[in-house]
Amino acid sequence: MDAIQSGWILEYARFGRRNRKTTPGEQQLIYSSKSLLTCVAQAIGSEAQLTPRKASTTLMIVDAIDAFFLVSLIDETKSVEVSNSGNIAWSKRPFQYSSSINWNMAEMIMDILHDMAASQMEERRTIRLLDPTCGSGTFLALGLSRGMNVQGWDINQACVDGAIRNLELYFGNSNNQKWSVVSRDATTPSNIDFAPNCVVANVPWGVNTNPNNNAMIMQQLKISLQPQTPCAIISKSIELQAVMKRLGYKIIGFCHVPPKDFVLPTSKKKRNISSTKQNTNSHCIITIATSP
């Protein structure tokens, strides 16, 4: 952690429930978020920023119960650090898609996938990312900015054309073979000649799509991926996890992302009842898993 520059702040987020039942022979881990934050802060080494609004970097400990991840968050309004972009923020990209995920969450997901894929590689090689439902190409852009080779699929030709336009603006054309976007239906059998080290997918949310599509996508990925390939799946509800477990995926952790207009109660005594009622459903579920 010596590479982390001074001026950081540290936050904490937990995936899943800590008080889950332990399996026979497994030891229950007992710790608090405060003790975890203290240990990590001491290990970072560089000087923290005591005034959050002046922080140069926001770090977050992601507690996935079975594993910990330290990720860095960035502001969606800031420019994506990529070539040929002319310092254009990703939020100003030419083609935008309504199902695009929150930028900070996408950053966190990509940090986790990058670390998981890198830890499985015996030698230093380029990580290959597959997004079978790429939309406007947000995850592809984040993968490229981390030095990955990426491939995106989408059944919607408008998304394919739009993602190509976006990536060409920020990364130049695909002649260097670092990225490609193709028209492909992720629910049907097809040979993956890309051999990905990790997969991310913001799967369809059931709007104008077959409700069984997501199960079919996970089935096709199971057939095509190497065992233990790290996967990050964004879905509308937690029901998809039951499908993933039935197919043999190992769920490492998950989190509920609230709607953008979510407002916490002002205090324990006086709760904002109207706000609470408006936000009873999570905006999405992010599941971190490995393939069978």
Side-chain angles (χ1 to χ4, degrees):
M1 288 191 254
D2 295 336
I4 299 176
Q5 298 180 352
S6 300
W8 49 267
I9 59 173
L10 186 61
E11 299 179 355
Y12 173 84
R14 186 171 69 242
F15 282 26
R17 296 181 299 174
R18 184 186 304 167
N19 60 347
R20 64 175 178 79
K21 294 181 179 180
T22 57
T23 58
E26 182 183 8
Q27 186 175 1
Q28 178 80 39
L29 293 178
I30 301 175
Y31 57 88
S32 67
S33 58
K34 289 183 179 180
S35 64
L36 185 60
L37 286 164
T38 300
C39 290
V40 173
Q42 290 176 342
I44 289 175
S46 57
E47 186 176 350
Q49 173 58 254
L50 299 180
T51 307
R53 61 184 177 84
K54 295 182 179 180
S56 59
T57 304
T58 300
L59 304 174
M60 176 175 286
I61 300 171
V62 180
D63 181 353
I65 310 303
D66 294 324
F68 296 108
F69 302 93
L70 182 64
V71 300
S72 175
L73 305 183
I74 68 170
D75 191 338
E76 184 179 15
T77 61
K78 293 183 180 179
S79 298
V80 184
E81 296 180 1
V82 296
S83 60
N84 302 328
S85 67
N87 292 324
I88 302 173
W90 183 253
S91 59
K92 303 298 183 182
R93 62 197 181 279
F95 174 75
Q96 302 192 25
Y97 194 57
S98 59
S99 297
S100 179
I101 191 171
N102 174 276
W103 181 262
N104 283 352
M105 296 306 299
E107 277 278 322
M108 182 182 74
I109 291 167
M110 290 305 301
D111 283 343
I112 292 174
L113 280 182
H114 183 278
D115 287 351
M116 290 179 68
S119 67
Q120 293 182 353
M121 300 171 70
E122 296 180 356
E123 56 187 49
R124 197 175 186 86
R125 294 181 297 169
T126 301
I127 296 173
R128 298 178 300 278
L129 170 74
L130 171 66
D131 184 349
T133 56
C134 68
S136 66
T138 297
F139 286 117
L140 303 180
L142 288 170
L144 285 167
S145 68
R146 284 162 172 73
M148 298 179 177
N149 289 348
V150 303
Q151 184 173 102
W153 304 348
D154 209 288
I155 193 174
N156 186 339
Q157 187 62 46
C159 287
V160 173
D161 296 339
I164 291 174
R165 192 160 70 250
N166 289 341
L167 296 182
E168 284 181 340
L169 172 64
Y170 288 88
F171 300 92
N173 61 50
S174 60
N175 292 339
N176 55 16
Q177 299 182 344
K178 290 184 178 297
W179 66 268
S180 62
V181 182
V182 297
S183 178
R184 184 173 294 179
D185 184 355
T187 66
T188 59
S190 58
N191 294 325
I192 301 180
D193 53 4
F194 185 64
N197 304 112
C198 55
V199 174
V200 61
N202 186 0
V203 297
W205 286 27
V207 180
N208 300 322
T209 60
N210 186 324
N212 296 322
N213 276 2
N214 293 343
M216 296 164 66
I217 290 173
M218 300 313 301
Q219 172 66 23
Q220 294 307 318
L221 288 175
K222 171 188 175 180
I223 295 171
S224 304
L225 296 177
Q226 293 293 319
Q228 307 303 312
T229 299
C231 303
I233 308 299
I234 300 92
S235 59
K236 184 178 180 180
S237 66
I238 202 169
E239 279 74 19
L240 184 59
Q241 286 187 13
V243 174
M244 294 174 67
K245 290 178 180 178
R246 187 169 66 250
L247 291 172
Y249 289 84
K250 179 183 178 182
I251 307 298
I252 296 176
F254 65 94
C255 72
H256 298 250
V257 182
K260 293 181 179 179
D261 60 348
F262 179 80
V263 178
L264 289 171
T266 54
S267 70
K268 293 183 179 180
K269 293 183 180 180
K270 297 181 179 180
R271 294 183 178 274
N272 189 335
I273 301 299
S274 60
S275 173
T276 303
K277 288 183 177 180
Q278 292 173 359
N279 299 288
T280 54
N281 295 322
S282 294
H283 181 63
C284 67
I285 307 294
I286 299 174
T287 303
I288 305 297
T290 54
S291 61

